[in-house]
Amino acid sequence: VSGKLGLLLLLVLLLGALYYLLIHRDLTARIVQERQNTGRLQNELAEVEAFQARAVKLRLELDTRKDMDQQVSRVLPREADIAGVLSDLNRLAEVSGLTINQVEPKKFESSEFYVKIPVDLSLSGRFHQLMRFFHNVSQMERAVSMENVVLGTPKTSDDEVVLTVKVRATAFMQAK
């Protein structure tokens, strides 16, 4: 009985040793290796998530800057578009009830950041029509200043006082 018990114990120890040598030691090494891989992959994931967060932040900033650039381009376009400026001024004069007597485009004036596009105008109408015109010009999306305003001698016609105004309307565009 004790011989069988010793043989059984020897067999169990031998099977345990074989299990440890052939299976357990390899599994333990693989577990350690996979834990290291998991740590490395978690670090890479954290880097990718940080990169993605920066990319999202930069995309939002880019979109904001594009919106701002579009707004600036409406106020200060990249092209002169004299015809568009004259058309807008003509439309505003008509809406205000004014008569445009003369339109004289002048030479562009360049500076470091913008280019001035001056146009001399001669307008006629009643006082409140002139004020409405100046107000409407101030409401334009494009930057236009009204300079060198000179009032002519008032004239009476059909019980109305008609004023003649000479003014320089200056539109702006971005310098290239």
Side-chain angles (χ1 to χ4, degrees):
V1 171
S2 71
K4 287 183 182 181
L5 194 56
L7 188 60
L8 182 62
L9 185 60
L10 184 63
L11 185 64
V12 168
L13 286 175
L14 184 61
L15 286 175
L18 284 174
Y19 168 77
Y20 179 78
L21 290 174
L22 297 177
I23 297 174
H24 185 74
R25 189 171 58 175
D26 289 341
L27 285 177
T28 303
R30 285 184 64 197
I31 288 172
V32 168
Q33 183 181 5
E34 291 304 322
R35 283 186 180 155
Q36 290 173 348
N37 283 344
T38 300
R40 182 182 52 79
L41 290 174
Q42 285 175 338
N43 289 339
E44 286 180 14
L45 178 63
E47 289 175 8
V48 167
E49 287 173 342
F51 179 77
Q52 183 181 17
R54 284 192 307 269
V56 167
K57 182 179 175 184
L58 290 173
R59 172 60 66 189
L60 291 173
E61 184 178 334
L62 179 63
D63 291 344
T64 301
R65 288 183 184 214
K66 281 182 180 178
D67 290 343
M68 288 173 50
D69 188 46
Q70 287 176 348
Q71 290 173 353
V72 166
S73 290
R74 285 193 292 266
V75 174
L76 204 61
R78 289 183 174 88
E79 300 298 325
D81 188 24
I82 302 263
V85 172
L86 293 176
S87 173
D88 288 344
L89 291 173
N90 186 48
R91 180 182 50 81
L92 292 176
E94 287 178 7
V95 166
S96 301
L98 295 176
T99 303
I100 297 180
N101 302 321
Q102 181 181 0
V103 176
E104 186 179 342
K106 297 292 185 179
K107 183 179 173 189
F108 290 9
E109 301 171 22
S110 296
S111 73
E112 183 179 355
F113 300 109
Y114 59 87
V115 176
K116 289 182 174 184
I117 307 166
V119 177
D120 286 346
L121 300 172
S122 176
L123 308 164
S124 323
R126 295 188 310 269
F127 179 79
H128 72 278
Q129 292 171 324
L130 290 167
M131 293 306 105
R132 186 179 315 135
F133 173 74
F134 289 131
H135 173 75
N136 290 340
V137 169
S138 75
Q139 300 301 309
M140 288 175 63
E141 216 171 43
R142 182 175 187 149
V144 177
S145 70
M146 303 303 272
E147 307 165 340
N148 304 333
V149 179
V150 177
L151 288 172
T153 306
K155 296 181 181 165
T156 306
S157 117
D158 299 328
D159 294 330
E160 291 183 346
V161 176
V162 176
L163 296 172
T164 299
V165 175
K166 292 186 180 199
V167 63
R168 175 166 286 177
T170 304
F172 298 87
M173 68 178 236
Q174 294 179 26
K176 295 180 181 178

